[in-house]
Amino acid sequence: MTNLMTLTPTILKQMAREDLPALSADIRQFLIASVSQTGGHIGAALGVVELTIALHHVFDSSQDKIIFDTGHQGYTHRILTGRANQFPTLNTFGGMSRFLDRADSPHDHLSASHAGTAISTAVGIAQAMEMAGDLHRIVAVVGDGTLGEGLTWEGLNYLGGTKLPILVVLNDNQMSIPPTVGGIAYMLKGHERPGHWFAGLGIQYHRIDDGHDLVALIEFCTDYHQSYWQYGPTVLHIKTEKGRGLPCAASHPFKMHFSMPFDPATGAGASPTIAGRTYATVAAETLHTVMAEDETIVVLTPGTPYASALDQLLACYPSRVLDVGMAEQHAVSMAAGLALGGRKPVVCVQSTFLQRAYDQVLHDVSFLNLPVTFLVVRSGFAGYDSPTHHGLWDIPVLRSFPNMQIHYAMDTQDLQATLTARLGHPQGPLALLMPYEPVLEPEPEIAVRYDGYGMLGTSRHGTIVCLGNTFALAREVCAQLQEDHAIDFGILLCAKLKPFRAFQGLAKEVQDGSIRPEHPSHIVTIEEGILAGGLGSLVAEAFLDAGAPVSLLRFGVGDCFVPAGSKQECAQALWLDVETIVAAIINRWSEEGRA
């Protein structure tokens, strides 16, 4: 068995070709054993073992640019570049990323965790290299549905009109996350169609039907490497099996694209999402109820049905729950068309992927004031995928769009009631945001509910304003303030963020003297989001616009990207913990003479 812990590109290049199949088997065994313990993108990784070995056996990955789209397919690449020992740290704070990272290795030439970026980036790199007289090769590995991404099409369109010697390896495993859909899937199933299509774009086309045939892969890569300047833009289309070597992947609906830790022998425990009942689950259950009574409701998802818990809905309403593939921009504009056609469209999407369609949300939905409902999951800290997967930008951006309404679910009761009422009579666009965490059982009771807001406790000395994903933290802060300092802060739990009317009454009281300026209200905001334009900004604007003085202390995410991590780890890294917040409140209180 090959010692994978000491494997490097130099050692790989020295290995005889007849020894490489055994290396493939060793890598698969290692990946299954390791990722089944940590969780990770196991299905995508298992499908490209031979391809990655062939690329590294032929190309010099520290000089030649091998770019993996999103990094889903980069696990073998890491092993071959001396990083097998890092795999136990996968899905730990500060550990190995689920995606590739330029800061991690000179062999990683692109940091990206969204699909479709590889070809356009490769074109830019190739253009820069040509300008500099650099003769190194560029390989862009795409697959897992990224050929359906609009950005990929834009990159291919430009590439076909150039002479740039870029090799695009199309890893065709008939999957994105779920099975691929649409015309691209149809085109790739034909034997002649792909060649005609790429040739029509001005791109050379080559095909290897068995993408696990190391000999065929190495022979093509060697020929390309030796005479790449004669090729120009080239596509190598290979057929592979997602999840190859993992028996339980064959019957899994997503071929084990991603999974939490699982039993590799039986598949037990395999799940693409966090354990427990989630807000996405509750939203899907609510959709199931209202769709049974209203045939005008149509649900769209851009290639990620698992993230929105749509599996059962897809089975029950196959003509009204539509997976449009990894095409967020299309999903939003299609929803606009459905609304124009008299339907009630619901776009189920992760916060990090909604930002890929912000232009369509603004131009095609908000501008036309269409009744499109966006069910946005993973708002706030969103786990171990990557810094860009956190849903930290949805509120600041969406609140700037005219006509857009924003609601952040306070709890499951609020989520169910809001979604049911909304789909009964939708007016204009609405984004309903949900956090990435299990629903607490039992859920904390909200003492008073009124028109999109909830109240808890006594605001004798001040008020903590929060969203559903920081409600538990706010309760702990209030408890410690009362217990250790005899200070009573109440909680205002905001659901309705746009229009935002939470402080209209209080601002008026401060302004007209009912609350004297020398005794200002102490307001603290806590949010899992960018401070600029977020919840704290909303509160500050409400008082400033009313000309009312207030003592305001904001806690959230500054001008930075947050490392991938659990909710608790991210909060700790950003000083969003009980002790820090309480100390800051006491310091501010003392400075203002209220100690």
Side-chain angles (χ1 to χ4, degrees):
M1 181 173 181
T2 311
N3 185 353
L4 300 182
M5 296 300 166
T6 61
L7 192 58
T8 66
T10 300
I11 294 174
L12 174 64
K13 289 180 184 301
Q14 294 170 350
M15 293 180 67
R17 289 189 184 184
E18 56 267 26
D19 293 332
L20 297 181
L23 174 62
S24 299
D26 292 343
I27 289 176
R28 278 202 173 83
Q29 182 179 344
F30 171 84
L31 286 173
I32 293 170
S34 182
V35 179
S36 65
Q37 297 295 312
T38 63
H41 291 92
I42 184 65
L46 292 174
V48 294
V49 173
E50 288 84 6
L51 169 64
T52 312
I53 290 173
L55 290 174
H56 278 278
H57 191 71
V58 175
F59 294 92
D60 178 359
S61 59
S62 64
Q63 299 297 323
D64 299 322
K65 313 298 183 185
I66 303 176
I67 299 172
F68 291 87
D69 202 294
T70 74
H72 286 163
Q73 305 167 98
Y75 285 9
T76 299
H77 164 75
R78 281 180 165 140
I79 294 170
L80 298 178
T81 52
R83 290 175 278 173
N85 62 344
Q86 295 181 15
F87 273 78
T89 69
L90 184 61
N91 292 324
T92 63
F93 192 71
M96 189 176 81
S97 170
R98 291 179 182 174
F99 306 99
L100 300 181
D101 188 343
R102 291 177 64 231
D104 191 33
S105 169
H107 300 276
D108 297 351
H109 302 290
L110 177 65
S111 302
S113 54
H114 286 176
T117 64
I119 294 176
S120 293
T121 305
V123 167
I125 293 173
Q127 203 87 62
M129 291 170 67
E130 183 179 68
M131 293 173 178
D134 190 337
L135 299 180
H136 289 103
R137 291 81 171 164
I138 299 177
V139 181
V141 181
V142 304
D144 264 10
T146 58
L147 194 61
E149 280 280 356
L151 180 58
T152 296
W153 286 58
E154 293 179 32
L156 284 170
N157 174 63
Y158 184 87
L159 176 61
T162 74
K163 300 296 184 183
L164 294 172
I166 295 175
L167 174 62
V168 177
V169 179
L170 171 56
N171 171 34
D172 177 10
N173 57 19
Q174 298 84 56
M175 304 287 289
S176 56
I177 294 173
T180 49
V181 299
I184 293 290
Y186 171 77
M187 183 266 287
L188 292 178
K189 286 178 182 176
H191 196 80
E192 305 252 343
R193 287 190 295 262
H196 293 319
W197 188 76
F198 284 109
L201 288 174
I203 299 173
Q204 281 200 42
Y205 175 80
H206 300 266
R207 178 187 182 112
I208 297 176
D209 284 327
D210 182 359
H212 304 289
D213 183 341
L214 264 169
V215 172
L217 289 167
I218 290 174
E219 285 180 352
F220 176 85
C221 289
T222 300
D223 184 68
Y224 179 87
H225 185 272
Q226 291 173 349
S227 54
Y228 71 99
W229 59 88
Q230 297 176 3
Y231 275 83
T234 302
V235 163
L236 173 62
H237 179 190
I238 67 172
K239 296 278 189 176
T240 63
E241 178 190 353
K242 192 166 186 174
R244 185 179 180 88
L246 180 61
C248 57
S251 59
H252 191 275
F254 309 128
K255 305 299 181 189
M256 298 284 283
H257 172 81
F258 173 87
S259 180
M260 297 297 182
F262 62 95
D263 184 335
T266 65
S271 171
T273 59
I274 56 176
R277 190 168 183 244
T278 65
Y279 286 86
T281 305
V282 175
E285 292 169 352
T286 307
L287 282 173
H288 198 290
T289 299
V290 296
M291 290 179 73
E293 301 173 356
D294 188 344
E295 294 186 354
T296 66
I297 298 172
V298 181
V299 175
L300 304 178
T301 179
T304 52
Y306 71 93
S308 298
L310 298 180
D311 301 43
Q312 288 192 347
L313 271 184
L314 278 164
C316 291
Y317 303 104
S319 64
R320 289 196 288 142
V321 181
L322 308 175
D323 180 359
V324 303
M326 297 169 68
E328 295 84 4
Q329 293 168 296
H330 166 68
V332 173
S333 293
M334 180 177 171
L338 284 164
L340 289 169
R343 303 291 98 179
K344 297 176 181 176
V346 180
V347 179
C348 294
V349 62
Q350 298 178 63
S351 175
T352 184
F353 298 132
L354 181 62
Q355 69 197 33
R356 309 203 83 190
Y358 276 163
D359 181 65
Q360 286 67 39
V361 177
L362 175 65
H363 183 272
D364 299 343
V365 175
S366 295
F367 178 57
L368 299 179
N369 199 23
L370 295 175
V372 176
T373 303
F374 297 93
L375 288 184
V376 185
V377 299
R378 297 180 78 174
S379 179
F381 299 139
Y384 293 101
D385 272 321
S386 89
T388 64
H389 270 61
H390 293 308
L392 309 178
W393 299 274
D394 41 22
I395 294 171
V397 175
L398 291 174
R399 64 175 288 240
S400 68
F401 292 177
N403 297 322
M404 177 62 69
Q405 307 157 71
I406 305 174
H407 193 100
Y408 205 114
M410 288 192 289
D411 56 11
T412 58
Q413 177 184 331
D414 175 58
L415 173 58
Q416 292 167 323
T418 301
L419 184 55
T420 301
R422 161 69 181 181
L423 292 178
H425 302 282
Q427 299 291 321
L430 176 133
L432 205 169
L433 310 182
M434 294 170 282
Y436 183 63
E437 55 196 67
V439 175
L440 294 176
E441 299 289 353
E443 293 187 77
E445 291 189 14
I446 300 172
V448 178
R449 297 172 187 261
Y450 66 98
D451 191 26
Y453 304 98
M455 297 189 69
L456 190 72
T458 303
S459 300
R460 187 163 65 94
H461 297 114
T463 301
I464 294 179
V465 185
C466 66
L467 302 174
N469 59 354
T470 53
F471 183 33
L473 176 58
R475 291 173 67 221
E476 292 181 48
V477 170
C478 286
Q480 189 161 322
L481 283 170
Q482 209 290 320
E483 182 178 337
D484 295 348
H485 305 280
I487 293 175
D488 292 324
F489 265 64
I491 295 175
L492 177 65
L493 180 57
C494 294
K496 187 176 289 186
L497 299 179
K498 188 182 180 186
F500 185 70
R501 302 192 179 98
F503 286 96
Q504 286 182 339
L506 181 57
K508 185 177 184 300
E509 291 174 359
V510 173
Q511 187 180 35
D512 66 18
S514 301
I515 298 177
R516 291 180 294 169
E518 62 267 26
H519 296 292
S521 299
H522 292 269
I523 306 294
V524 175
T525 62
I526 306 176
E527 57 192 304
E528 283 182 15
I530 296 295
L531 285 169
L535 176 65
S537 292
L538 274 168
V539 173
E541 290 164 16
F543 282 98
L544 286 172
D545 290 346
V550 66
S551 172
L552 176 63
L553 193 56
R554 299 183 303 150
F555 296 92
V557 180
D559 189 22
C560 66
F561 287 100
V562 181
S566 69
K567 181 183 181 78
Q568 292 74 24
E569 289 164 339
C570 291
Q572 198 74 34
L574 293 166
W575 305 102
L576 287 174
D577 59 278
V578 175
E579 291 73 19
T580 301
I581 294 174
V582 167
I585 292 172
I586 297 303
N587 289 340
R588 172 69 66 86
W589 197 277
S590 300
E591 290 171 4
E592 295 176 353
R594 301 286 183 262

